[in-house]
Structure formats: structure tokens, C-alpha cells
Amino acid sequence: MASVFYAPGGLAAEGMILIEAVSNDTTDNNNHEWKRPWELGIIGGLLFSTVEGDLTETHTYIPDFHAGVYGNVELFYPLGLRVEMYYVGLGTGFASLGDSKLHFNYLTVPAMFTYQFRPLFQLEVGPYIGVLLNAKDQGDDFKEDITDLVNWLDVGVKIGIRYELSQVVDIGVYFNRGFINTQRGDRVSQFKQYNQCIMFTTCVSITEMLNK
């Protein structure tokens, strides 16, 4: 309920309008509710990845994709928890080696805290863990399995912003950075390189589709 402050002449009326507007805006924010206390859905999209670290001056971003599932749980407004599990293709290109590319395929599970800082917008940040499925060194006329040369574990952080297009569809952009050396065996002592990618994600809520 807005308080009324009296002032000479028309200032009182103008003051009442301003105070009521601020009060109503605050009330709207305080009364905001999540779509649902929990939600399940599918995710997928395009990404661009590379590796950063030693001897990566000529490395380039390469496109790939990710696809999987997610779950959202409300903690207390405006905070929530989001857990994802998806297949993701990472890797890097080489500006000095033409079409040669390294491809690292992982099963990845991020667990992120979400913060709804504005209606329809959520900031998300948290750790992820990835398990290597396979790795290849590939070009136009060759393909070599290099799984034994790549670390089987990838751990890092994922941060991004998600926007609610509708009750069913969200879109988001994320930055992932690994903290564990992708090299394995004798190569670990020679140099350190870490996965890095920019992800463009579309989220489709199965929960909302089934409840329409």
C-alpha cells in the first residue's frame, strides 16, 4: 500500500502518482511466480569451440552441435537449480593446417544455479563435468582415432543468459571453459590445453507441452 506525502498545490497529486507507480512495480516483482516449481525438457543447438592454452596461437573455432535433456527446480524466488545432460561435440581447427580438425565428443552434465534478474531473463552459472566418448583427428582425406591421446575427463564452468520466448520455448547463449588439460599421457608434461566454447541453445519444455 502506497504512503501519501502532502505537498503544496499539484505537487501532492504528482507525488501520489509517482509513489503508487513505484509501489505497483515493486508489488509486481514480489508477486512474480515461476512457470512451474519444476520442469523437464529437451535442449539442443549450435556451438563454436576451440582449445586455449599452450601452442594454440593458430587454433581456430569450429562449429558443432549439442543435444540432450534438462530439468529446472525452483529453490526460492528468484533462485533456482538447473541440471542438464547432453551430447556435445567440441574440438578445434588449425589456421596453419587447412582442413585438419580435432573433434572431441563428450557426454556432459552441467549443474547451474539460476537467477531471474528480470522478467523472462535468467542468469545461469555453475560447474560441469564431461566424459569423453571418442576423439578424432580429421581432414578432407583422412580420419584418425586419437581417443587414447585425449583426457577422458573434462571439468569446467558454464555461464550464460536464457530468455523465455514463450511458456514452451526458451533460448540461451552460454560460455563454457574447461579447467582440466585435454592432453593425456606423455603429452601432459609438454603443454596444457583446455576446452572452450560458445553455445547457442534452444530449450523446449515437455512439461509445459503436456499441460497445455
Side-chain angles (χ1 to χ4, degrees):
M1 181 176 180
S3 301
V4 179
F5 295 92
Y6 292 95
L11 292 179
E14 293 178 3
M16 287 176 61
I17 294 172
L18 178 59
I19 294 169
E20 287 176 357
V22 172
S23 176
N24 290 338
D25 183 64
T26 303
T27 301
D28 289 343
N29 286 336
N30 291 336
N31 291 337
H32 184 87
E33 296 180 355
W34 299 91
K35 289 190 294 186
R36 293 186 183 277
W38 61 272
E39 179 184 17
L40 299 176
I42 57 176
I43 57 174
L46 180 68
L47 63 85
F48 296 90
S49 70
T50 188
V51 295
E52 291 292 334
D54 299 331
L55 306 178
T56 59
E57 292 80 5
T58 61
H59 286 209
T60 60
Y61 281 87
I62 60 172
D64 214 310
F65 75 96
H66 62 289
V69 295
Y70 75 89
N72 290 336
V73 177
E74 174 187 353
L75 298 177
F76 51 89
Y77 187 80
L79 296 179
L81 179 67
R82 179 181 178 91
V83 178
E84 303 172 339
M85 181 172 66
Y86 50 73
Y87 162 89
V88 60
L90 302 179
T92 187
F94 303 93
S96 58
L97 297 178
D99 293 323
S100 178
K101 298 178 179 65
L102 300 181
H103 295 278
F104 311 144
N105 300 316
Y106 294 89
L107 180 65
T108 298
V109 178
M112 298 178 289
F113 286 102
T114 68
Y115 173 70
Q116 187 156 350
F117 62 96
R118 291 184 63 85
L120 308 182
F121 285 92
Q122 294 203 33
L123 176 66
E124 302 178 342
V125 60
Y128 73 81
I129 181 170
V131 177
L132 183 70
L133 303 175
N134 57 69
K136 294 179 173 61
D137 183 3
Q138 185 174 348
D140 287 341
D141 54 358
F142 71 94
K143 180 187 293 186
E144 180 183 358
D145 190 309
I146 58 169
T147 304
D148 291 341
L149 301 177
V150 179
N151 196 332
W152 67 273
L153 181 66
D154 184 32
V155 175
V157 64
K158 180 175 182 178
I159 182 170
I161 294 178
R162 181 162 49 91
Y163 174 70
E164 181 183 322
L165 281 178
S166 69
Q167 288 291 101
V168 175
V169 179
D170 295 354
I171 57 173
V173 57
Y174 299 87
F175 175 77
N176 291 20
R177 172 64 187 228
F179 296 147
I180 290 184
N181 193 356
T182 59
Q183 304 301 311
R184 187 175 181 179
D186 295 337
R187 297 161 64 91
V188 172
S189 60
Q190 298 176 17
F191 49 91
K192 295 178 172 58
Q193 297 180 347
Y194 308 93
N195 285 317
Q196 180 172 296
C197 76
I198 300 171
M199 308 177 73
F200 300 91
T201 299
T202 299
C203 315
V204 179
S205 173
I206 300 301
T207 305
E208 291 294 335
M209 290 178 65
L210 295 178
N211 283 277
K212 276 189 171 293

mmCIF file of all heavy atoms in Angstrom, residues 32-40 72-75 79-81 116 122 164 167 205-212:
data_model
loop_
_atom_site.group_PDB
_atom_site.id
_atom_site.type_symbol
_atom_site.label_atom_id
_atom_site.label_comp_id
_atom_site.label_asym_id
_atom_site.label_seq_id
_atom_site.Cartn_x
_atom_site.Cartn_y
_atom_site.Cartn_z
ATOM 1 N N HIS A 32 5.758 -12.083 -8.572
ATOM 2 C CA HIS A 32 6.093 -12.880 -9.733
ATOM 3 C C HIS A 32 6.286 -14.338 -9.338
ATOM 4 O O HIS A 32 6.843 -14.644 -8.292
ATOM 5 C CB HIS A 32 7.370 -12.365 -10.393
ATOM 6 C CG HIS A 32 7.707 -13.105 -11.649
ATOM 7 N ND1 HIS A 32 7.204 -12.751 -12.865
ATOM 8 C CD2 HIS A 32 8.472 -14.201 -11.855
ATOM 9 C CE1 HIS A 32 7.662 -13.572 -13.790
ATOM 10 N NE2 HIS A 32 8.430 -14.473 -13.196
ATOM 11 N N GLU A 33 5.798 -15.248 -10.181
ATOM 12 C CA GLU A 33 5.924 -16.661 -9.909
ATOM 13 C C GLU A 33 6.637 -17.344 -11.063
ATOM 14 O O GLU A 33 6.587 -16.893 -12.202
ATOM 15 C CB GLU A 33 4.546 -17.296 -9.708
ATOM 16 C CG GLU A 33 3.796 -16.762 -8.486
ATOM 17 C CD GLU A 33 2.440 -17.416 -8.334
ATOM 18 O OE1 GLU A 33 2.065 -18.196 -9.228
ATOM 19 O OE2 GLU A 33 1.767 -17.131 -7.334
ATOM 20 N N TRP A 34 7.284 -18.482 -10.757
ATOM 21 C CA TRP A 34 7.868 -19.299 -11.806
ATOM 22 C C TRP A 34 6.753 -19.875 -12.665
ATOM 23 O O TRP A 34 5.603 -19.977 -12.264
ATOM 24 C CB TRP A 34 8.669 -20.443 -11.191
ATOM 25 C CG TRP A 34 9.803 -20.022 -10.324
ATOM 26 C CD1 TRP A 34 9.785 -19.797 -8.991
ATOM 27 C CD2 TRP A 34 11.149 -19.784 -10.747
ATOM 28 N NE1 TRP A 34 11.016 -19.433 -8.544
ATOM 29 C CE2 TRP A 34 11.880 -19.411 -9.587
ATOM 30 C CE3 TRP A 34 11.808 -19.851 -11.970
ATOM 31 C CZ2 TRP A 34 13.226 -19.123 -9.629
ATOM 32 C CZ3 TRP A 34 13.143 -19.564 -12.010
ATOM 33 C CH2 TRP A 34 13.846 -19.196 -10.860
ATOM 34 N N LYS A 35 7.140 -20.323 -13.871
ATOM 35 C CA LYS A 35 6.168 -21.023 -14.706
ATOM 36 C C LYS A 35 5.623 -22.225 -13.946
ATOM 37 O O LYS A 35 4.434 -22.463 -13.883
ATOM 38 C CB LYS A 35 6.818 -21.472 -16.020
ATOM 39 C CG LYS A 35 7.133 -20.346 -16.977
ATOM 40 C CD LYS A 35 7.542 -20.862 -18.337
ATOM 41 C CE LYS A 35 8.850 -21.619 -18.306
ATOM 42 N NZ LYS A 35 9.299 -21.980 -19.673
ATOM 43 N N ARG A 36 6.534 -23.035 -13.365
ATOM 44 C CA ARG A 36 6.176 -24.194 -12.547
ATOM 45 C C ARG A 36 7.297 -24.414 -11.533
ATOM 46 O O ARG A 36 8.430 -24.022 -11.767
ATOM 47 C CB ARG A 36 6.010 -25.442 -13.416
ATOM 48 C CG ARG A 36 4.825 -25.372 -14.361
ATOM 49 C CD ARG A 36 4.596 -26.666 -15.103
ATOM 50 N NE ARG A 36 3.488 -26.509 -16.034
ATOM 51 C CZ ARG A 36 2.215 -26.628 -15.698
ATOM 52 N NH1 ARG A 36 1.907 -26.921 -14.447
ATOM 53 N NH2 ARG A 36 1.264 -26.461 -16.586
ATOM 54 N N PRO A 37 6.995 -25.068 -10.398
ATOM 55 C CA PRO A 37 8.065 -25.325 -9.426
ATOM 56 C C PRO A 37 9.118 -26.290 -9.955
ATOM 57 O O PRO A 37 10.222 -26.343 -9.431
ATOM 58 C CB PRO A 37 7.320 -25.901 -8.221
ATOM 59 C CG PRO A 37 6.001 -26.355 -8.749
ATOM 60 C CD PRO A 37 5.673 -25.455 -9.889
ATOM 61 N N TRP A 38 8.787 -27.067 -10.983
ATOM 62 C CA TRP A 38 9.769 -27.944 -11.624
ATOM 63 C C TRP A 38 9.404 -28.069 -13.098
ATOM 64 O O TRP A 38 8.264 -27.829 -13.495
ATOM 65 C CB TRP A 38 9.818 -29.319 -10.953
ATOM 66 C CG TRP A 38 8.503 -30.060 -11.021
ATOM 67 C CD1 TRP A 38 7.478 -29.991 -10.134
ATOM 68 C CD2 TRP A 38 8.089 -30.956 -12.056
ATOM 69 N NE1 TRP A 38 6.439 -30.790 -10.533
ATOM 70 C CE2 TRP A 38 6.790 -31.397 -11.709
ATOM 71 C CE3 TRP A 38 8.671 -31.422 -13.226
ATOM 72 C CZ2 TRP A 38 6.063 -32.289 -12.502
ATOM 73 C CZ3 TRP A 38 7.952 -32.315 -14.018
ATOM 74 C CH2 TRP A 38 6.668 -32.745 -13.651
ATOM 75 N N GLU A 39 10.374 -28.455 -13.892
ATOM 76 C CA GLU A 39 10.167 -28.502 -15.339
ATOM 77 C C GLU A 39 11.188 -29.444 -15.973
ATOM 78 O O GLU A 39 12.348 -29.480 -15.579
ATOM 79 C CB GLU A 39 10.324 -27.091 -15.921
ATOM 80 C CG GLU A 39 10.159 -26.998 -17.421
ATOM 81 C CD GLU A 39 10.416 -25.598 -17.943
ATOM 82 O OE1 GLU A 39 11.026 -24.783 -17.202
ATOM 83 O OE2 GLU A 39 10.023 -25.313 -19.073
ATOM 84 N N LEU A 40 10.746 -30.221 -16.965
ATOM 85 C CA LEU A 40 11.620 -31.105 -17.729
ATOM 86 C C LEU A 40 11.484 -30.774 -19.204
ATOM 87 O O LEU A 40 10.409 -30.379 -19.675
ATOM 88 C CB LEU A 40 11.251 -32.576 -17.492
ATOM 89 C CG LEU A 40 11.368 -33.100 -16.065
ATOM 90 C CD1 LEU A 40 10.863 -34.534 -15.985
ATOM 91 C CD2 LEU A 40 12.805 -33.016 -15.573
ATOM 92 N N ASN A 72 14.592 -28.196 -14.508
ATOM 93 C CA ASN A 72 14.638 -26.997 -13.670
ATOM 94 C C ASN A 72 13.879 -27.249 -12.379
ATOM 95 O O ASN A 72 12.795 -27.860 -12.411
ATOM 96 C CB ASN A 72 13.999 -25.799 -14.376
ATOM 97 C CG ASN A 72 14.822 -25.291 -15.537
ATOM 98 O OD1 ASN A 72 16.033 -25.488 -15.582
ATOM 99 N ND2 ASN A 72 14.167 -24.638 -16.488
ATOM 100 N N VAL A 73 14.416 -26.771 -11.259
ATOM 101 C CA VAL A 73 13.737 -26.870 -9.972
ATOM 102 C C VAL A 73 13.777 -25.505 -9.297
ATOM 103 O O VAL A 73 14.841 -24.882 -9.204
ATOM 104 C CB VAL A 73 14.394 -27.919 -9.054
ATOM 105 C CG1 VAL A 73 13.705 -27.951 -7.697
ATOM 106 C CG2 VAL A 73 14.359 -29.298 -9.700
ATOM 107 N N GLU A 74 12.607 -25.041 -8.828
ATOM 108 C CA GLU A 74 12.560 -23.785 -8.079
ATOM 109 C C GLU A 74 13.109 -24.001 -6.674
ATOM 110 O O GLU A 74 12.728 -24.951 -5.985
ATOM 111 C CB GLU A 74 11.116 -23.291 -7.990
ATOM 112 C CG GLU A 74 10.945 -22.076 -7.113
ATOM 113 C CD GLU A 74 9.495 -21.698 -6.906
ATOM 114 O OE1 GLU A 74 8.620 -22.300 -7.556
ATOM 115 O OE2 GLU A 74 9.244 -20.822 -6.068
ATOM 116 N N LEU A 75 14.032 -23.150 -6.240
ATOM 117 C CA LEU A 75 14.517 -23.164 -4.870
ATOM 118 C C LEU A 75 13.708 -22.161 -4.061
ATOM 119 O O LEU A 75 12.859 -22.520 -3.268
ATOM 120 C CB LEU A 75 16.009 -22.846 -4.825
ATOM 121 C CG LEU A 75 16.911 -23.857 -5.565
ATOM 122 C CD1 LEU A 75 18.364 -23.413 -5.514
ATOM 123 C CD2 LEU A 75 16.749 -25.262 -4.998
ATOM 124 N N LEU A 79 15.774 -17.570 -7.160
ATOM 125 C CA LEU A 79 16.838 -18.550 -7.381
ATOM 126 C C LEU A 79 16.267 -19.924 -7.700
ATOM 127 O O LEU A 79 15.239 -20.330 -7.151
ATOM 128 C CB LEU A 79 17.743 -18.647 -6.148
ATOM 129 C CG LEU A 79 18.530 -17.394 -5.780
ATOM 130 C CD1 LEU A 79 19.362 -17.657 -4.518
ATOM 131 C CD2 LEU A 79 19.427 -16.964 -6.920
ATOM 132 N N GLY A 80 16.966 -20.643 -8.581
ATOM 133 C CA GLY A 80 16.573 -21.994 -8.932
ATOM 134 C C GLY A 80 17.806 -22.824 -9.254
ATOM 135 O O GLY A 80 18.943 -22.341 -9.207
ATOM 136 N N LEU A 81 17.577 -24.080 -9.593
ATOM 137 C CA LEU A 81 18.641 -25.014 -9.960
ATOM 138 C C LEU A 81 18.291 -25.652 -11.282
ATOM 139 O O LEU A 81 17.156 -26.072 -11.502
ATOM 140 C CB LEU A 81 18.810 -26.084 -8.881
ATOM 141 C CG LEU A 81 19.889 -27.144 -9.144
ATOM 142 C CD1 LEU A 81 21.280 -26.510 -9.125
ATOM 143 C CD2 LEU A 81 19.802 -28.263 -8.104
ATOM 144 N N GLN A 116 16.734 -15.156 -11.734
ATOM 145 C CA GLN A 116 15.855 -14.386 -12.608
ATOM 146 C C GLN A 116 15.977 -12.907 -12.252
ATOM 147 O O GLN A 116 15.334 -12.413 -11.333
ATOM 148 C CB GLN A 116 14.404 -14.852 -12.482
ATOM 149 C CG GLN A 116 13.495 -14.180 -13.496
ATOM 150 C CD GLN A 116 12.260 -14.997 -13.797
ATOM 151 O OE1 GLN A 116 12.136 -16.154 -13.407
ATOM 152 N NE2 GLN A 116 11.319 -14.398 -14.508
ATOM 153 N N GLN A 122 16.988 -15.012 -17.325
ATOM 154 C CA GLN A 122 17.650 -15.708 -16.228
ATOM 155 C C GLN A 122 19.150 -15.778 -16.480
ATOM 156 O O GLN A 122 19.591 -16.092 -17.589
ATOM 157 C CB GLN A 122 17.098 -17.127 -16.069
ATOM 158 C CG GLN A 122 15.646 -17.157 -15.632
ATOM 159 C CD GLN A 122 15.280 -18.450 -14.956
ATOM 160 O OE1 GLN A 122 16.100 -19.058 -14.271
ATOM 161 N NE2 GLN A 122 14.045 -18.877 -15.128
ATOM 162 N N GLU A 164 13.037 -16.316 -22.039
ATOM 163 C CA GLU A 164 11.800 -17.067 -22.221
ATOM 164 C C GLU A 164 10.997 -16.488 -23.392
ATOM 165 O O GLU A 164 10.353 -15.452 -23.262
ATOM 166 C CB GLU A 164 10.975 -17.022 -20.931
ATOM 167 C CG GLU A 164 9.679 -17.800 -20.990
ATOM 168 C CD GLU A 164 8.874 -17.660 -19.714
ATOM 169 O OE1 GLU A 164 9.496 -17.635 -18.632
ATOM 170 O OE2 GLU A 164 7.639 -17.550 -19.811
ATOM 171 N N GLN A 167 5.858 -19.873 -23.059
ATOM 172 C CA GLN A 167 5.763 -20.841 -21.980
ATOM 173 C C GLN A 167 6.479 -22.143 -22.320
ATOM 174 O O GLN A 167 6.893 -22.882 -21.433
ATOM 175 C CB GLN A 167 4.292 -21.145 -21.669
ATOM 176 C CG GLN A 167 3.554 -20.009 -20.979
ATOM 177 C CD GLN A 167 4.038 -19.801 -19.561
ATOM 178 O OE1 GLN A 167 4.820 -18.896 -19.290
ATOM 179 N NE2 GLN A 167 3.578 -20.638 -18.655
ATOM 180 N N SER A 205 10.165 -27.071 -23.410
ATOM 181 C CA SER A 205 9.632 -27.627 -22.175
ATOM 182 C C SER A 205 8.611 -28.721 -22.481
ATOM 183 O O SER A 205 7.518 -28.435 -22.981
ATOM 184 C CB SER A 205 8.986 -26.533 -21.323
ATOM 185 O OG SER A 205 8.322 -27.097 -20.210
ATOM 186 N N ILE A 206 8.943 -29.972 -22.170
ATOM 187 C CA ILE A 206 7.996 -31.066 -22.329
ATOM 188 C C ILE A 206 6.886 -30.940 -21.297
ATOM 189 O O ILE A 206 5.719 -31.217 -21.577
ATOM 190 C CB ILE A 206 8.720 -32.422 -22.182
ATOM 191 C CG1 ILE A 206 9.814 -32.547 -23.238
ATOM 192 C CG2 ILE A 206 7.731 -33.568 -22.315
ATOM 193 C CD1 ILE A 206 9.344 -32.447 -24.660
ATOM 194 N N THR A 207 7.231 -30.485 -20.088
ATOM 195 C CA THR A 207 6.241 -30.299 -19.031
ATOM 196 C C THR A 207 5.138 -29.341 -19.478
ATOM 197 O O THR A 207 3.948 -29.607 -19.305
ATOM 198 C CB THR A 207 6.912 -29.775 -17.755
ATOM 199 O OG1 THR A 207 7.964 -30.661 -17.372
ATOM 200 C CG2 THR A 207 5.908 -29.650 -16.632
ATOM 201 N N GLU A 208 5.520 -28.205 -20.053
ATOM 202 C CA GLU A 208 4.532 -27.218 -20.495
ATOM 203 C C GLU A 208 3.716 -27.733 -21.675
ATOM 204 O O GLU A 208 2.513 -27.473 -21.759
ATOM 205 C CB GLU A 208 5.236 -25.912 -20.883
ATOM 206 C CG GLU A 208 5.852 -25.160 -19.714
ATOM 207 C CD GLU A 208 4.792 -24.633 -18.752
ATOM 208 O OE1 GLU A 208 3.638 -24.433 -19.186
ATOM 209 O OE2 GLU A 208 5.128 -24.439 -17.575
ATOM 210 N N MET A 209 4.342 -28.483 -22.582
ATOM 211 C CA MET A 209 3.611 -29.024 -23.736
ATOM 212 C C MET A 209 2.535 -30.002 -23.283
ATOM 213 O O MET A 209 1.415 -30.008 -23.810
ATOM 214 C CB MET A 209 4.588 -29.706 -24.687
ATOM 215 C CG MET A 209 5.531 -28.768 -25.424
ATOM 216 S SD MET A 209 6.701 -29.643 -26.491
ATOM 217 C CE MET A 209 5.579 -30.357 -27.700
ATOM 218 N N LEU A 210 2.849 -30.834 -22.293
ATOM 219 C CA LEU A 210 1.893 -31.828 -21.826
ATOM 220 C C LEU A 210 0.770 -31.220 -21.003
ATOM 221 O O LEU A 210 -0.303 -31.839 -20.844
ATOM 222 C CB LEU A 210 2.614 -32.885 -20.991
ATOM 223 C CG LEU A 210 3.640 -33.762 -21.741
ATOM 224 C CD1 LEU A 210 4.313 -34.716 -20.781
ATOM 225 C CD2 LEU A 210 2.944 -34.534 -22.871
ATOM 226 N N ASN A 211 0.994 -30.023 -20.478
ATOM 227 C CA ASN A 211 -0.021 -29.384 -19.635
ATOM 228 C C ASN A 211 -0.831 -28.314 -20.355
ATOM 229 O O ASN A 211 -1.602 -27.603 -19.720
ATOM 230 C CB ASN A 211 0.646 -28.772 -18.389
ATOM 231 C CG ASN A 211 1.003 -29.814 -17.350
ATOM 232 O OD1 ASN A 211 0.175 -30.232 -16.552
ATOM 233 N ND2 ASN A 211 2.253 -30.256 -17.377
ATOM 234 N N LYS A 212 -0.619 -28.180 -21.649
ATOM 235 C CA LYS A 212 -1.399 -27.202 -22.420
ATOM 236 C C LYS A 212 -2.817 -27.711 -22.675
ATOM 237 O O LYS A 212 -3.020 -28.906 -22.832
ATOM 238 C CB LYS A 212 -0.687 -26.893 -23.753
ATOM 239 C CG LYS A 212 0.376 -25.823 -23.601
ATOM 240 C CD LYS A 212 0.879 -25.410 -24.951
ATOM 241 C CE LYS A 212 1.771 -24.186 -24.854
ATOM 242 N NZ LYS A 212 1.037 -22.987 -24.438
#
